[in-house]
Amino acid sequence: MAEADLQRFLRKVEQLNALVASLEEDPLRRQAFAACVDHNQVVQLARGWGFEIGRRWGEASTELESAAPAANAPCRSPFCVDPEPLLRSPLPEAGTERVRELQRGSDWRLDLIHSCEASSPPQFWYDQTEHEWLILLRGSARLCLTEPDQMLDLSVGDSLYLPPHRRHRLERTDPDPGTLWLALYWEESVGEGRPAPARITNQ
């Protein structure tokens, strides 16, 4: 085990021990913790109390988010660091999403999507003509897909490919600090066949 991995492991153990101690001291906190229905809720609740326990062993998202900010001055060169770091995207209002286009080509675009307790309207389904590949940079989400019917729970590092016309809707995303997605869209290529089932990959 590398020293950096060992330090992350020890830090997580320290945070877990402190969380357990706080639950033993506060019955109301213990009750709220027991009411969580999945691990993502546990992580979010613990984070709200100041404990960073991570979704998986060795997850380093907190360290990435605490990195020094880039310079505020805008940079026109394509080789410059983005003046607005991805993991510091401003939190949108609860129940909404904010989409920021990062790059675009003639038949593709790369978007950063920040969701806060967002979900699709009742009976609404995305039915897009583009291919879509996405990865979660922060938080968690639940998607519902059709043909075939699927319910997918995504966490940090999970990626998903959606072919054109694979109908889907957003069931939920995390509250503050929200769910952060990186989504790549591209146009249908000549000679492609019928849409394939969605594929989810855990990184």
Side-chain angles (χ1 to χ4, degrees):
M1 180 185 297
E3 179 63 24
D5 290 335
L6 175 59
Q7 291 301 320
R8 280 197 293 269
F9 175 76
L10 294 176
R11 174 63 176 165
K12 180 171 181 178
V13 171
E14 176 186 341
Q15 291 285 291
L16 286 169
N17 287 336
L19 174 60
V20 170
S22 77
L23 297 179
E24 293 175 347
E25 295 171 359
D26 189 336
L28 291 178
R29 181 171 284 190
R30 181 187 180 98
Q31 183 178 357
F33 196 83
C36 293
V37 298
D38 60 42
H39 186 58
N40 289 317
Q41 288 187 9
V42 169
V43 171
Q44 290 298 325
L45 187 60
R47 182 174 291 151
W49 295 333
F51 303 104
E52 184 58 54
I53 62 175
R55 288 184 171 77
R56 297 182 178 88
W57 179 87
E59 182 183 9
S61 60
T62 300
E63 296 164 52
L64 289 172
E65 290 171 9
S66 63
N72 292 326
C75 177
R76 303 302 180 187
S77 168
F79 304 106
C80 285
V81 174
D82 195 319
E84 184 180 332
L86 298 186
L87 296 181
R88 297 190 179 205
S89 172
L91 182 71
E93 294 184 6
T96 67
E97 292 186 317
R98 179 181 290 113
V99 180
R100 173 184 163 204
E101 186 176 287
L102 301 178
Q103 297 289 335
R104 171 180 287 273
S106 60
D107 58 357
W108 64 273
R109 74 181 188 280
L110 182 65
D111 288 348
L112 181 72
I113 305 171
H114 197 164
S115 308
C116 181
E117 296 183 282
S119 61
S120 299
Q123 309 305 316
F124 173 83
W125 293 87
Y126 290 98
D127 187 2
Q128 59 206 34
T129 60
E130 301 167 302
H131 296 263
E132 178 179 0
W133 177 89
L134 60 86
I135 185 169
L136 261 67
L137 303 179
R138 181 173 64 212
S140 67
R142 173 172 291 178
L143 295 176
C144 182
L145 299 88
T146 65
E147 299 177 0
D149 293 344
Q150 287 180 279
M151 190 71 73
L152 301 179
D153 287 299
L154 308 178
S155 294
V156 172
D158 288 342
S159 63
L160 174 67
Y161 166 68
L162 293 167
H165 300 295
R166 181 72 197 273
R167 298 175 71 237
H168 59 283
R169 54 178 282 110
L170 182 62
E171 295 295 324
R172 67 153 192 87
T173 59
D174 287 354
D176 190 355
T179 299
L180 201 60
W181 321 64
L182 194 62
L184 176 65
Y185 303 89
W186 68 96
E187 297 294 334
E188 182 83 44
S189 297
V190 177
E192 291 192 354
R194 58 177 302 186
R199 299 191 295 270
I200 178 173
T201 305
N202 180 269
Q203 302 297 322

